[in-house]
Amino acid sequence: MADPARAAKLAQRIKVVVAEALGRRVKDPRLEGVTVTDSRVTNDLQHATVYYTVFGDEVAQADAAKGLEKAKGVLRQEVGRNITVRLTPTLEFVADQIPVNASNLEELLRAAKKRDAEVAALAEGAKHAGDADPYKSDTPEDVELDEDDFDEEDLDLIDKDQIDEDRNK
């Protein structure tokens, strides 16, 4: 097993080599709108997965997938020439779903922002459903209680059995 850091460096190098080879060496018109976004290599350096996006509709994406599958041998040969490993890794091309996921997230955020604005508009003129001070008190508001207001007689209000139980625990 190779070092994961070495595998990551190799993946970056494969990404650059494949992107350059698509622009320079492969002359397939189906691959003109292809952008290599990422590459990952297994820890044993035997298999590489190359992620790509295609500018265009679903037909262009399907054509690009077929074009990459056809150019896989040429791209692997180019990778073998430009990297320094004993065995050239096999290449697998996978359409990257990040742009699709990002657009879905943006749509969800727009909907949430719209709902937040609706709730804020409803809450703007709303009043509380009760008194302004929901905590009622029997003491008049102008009387302040201090520690000196409690006597030893107030201790009679506490259940002595409960105090004994707390001490025994």
Side-chain angles (χ1 to χ4, degrees):
M1 295 228 95
D3 183 27
R6 182 177 180 209
K9 286 180 186 177
L10 183 64
Q12 281 299 104
R13 183 69 185 140
I14 288 173
K15 178 176 111 174
V16 170
V17 168
V18 168
E20 287 176 355
L22 282 174
R24 210 173 10 116
R25 183 125 189 250
V26 179
K27 302 295 182 197
D28 193 343
R30 299 178 289 186
L31 301 177
E32 289 179 3
V34 173
T35 302
V36 177
T37 57
D38 195 15
S39 176
R40 296 198 179 136
V41 177
T42 58
N43 281 343
D44 62 358
L45 308 179
Q46 296 296 308
H47 306 285
T49 305
V50 179
Y51 295 92
Y52 67 94
T53 58
V54 180
F55 183 72
D57 58 354
E58 293 177 11
V59 174
Q61 292 176 1
D63 287 344
K66 289 177 187 172
L68 284 170
E69 201 59 39
K70 184 168 178 139
K72 188 184 285 190
V74 174
L75 293 172
R76 185 171 183 226
Q77 182 181 18
E78 193 69 25
V79 167
R81 284 186 190 149
N82 289 297
I83 62 172
T84 55
V85 291
R86 188 169 58 95
L87 299 172
T88 303
T90 60
L91 299 178
E92 177 185 4
F93 294 96
V94 177
D96 200 353
Q97 297 299 318
I98 289 177
V100 175
N101 294 341
S103 66
N104 289 343
L105 274 175
E106 287 176 3
E107 182 61 34
L108 289 172
L109 288 173
R110 266 190 239 108
K113 189 175 183 179
K114 181 181 175 184
R115 278 187 255 141
D116 286 347
E118 291 171 359
V119 169
L122 287 173
E124 192 171 300
K127 295 182 180 179
H128 291 287
D131 294 336
D133 183 17
Y135 302 105
K136 300 288 182 181
S137 174
D138 293 336
T139 60
E141 291 182 20
D142 59 344
V143 176
E144 293 183 20
L145 297 177
D146 294 332
E147 291 180 17
D148 299 333
D149 292 338
F150 294 101
D151 300 334
E152 289 183 15
E153 297 171 359
D154 294 334
L155 292 176
D156 294 339
L157 300 175
I158 300 174
D159 188 12
K160 291 182 181 179
D161 294 334
Q162 183 180 4
I163 293 173
D164 292 337
E165 288 175 11
D166 290 341
R167 286 184 186 162
N168 291 335
K169 288 183 181 177

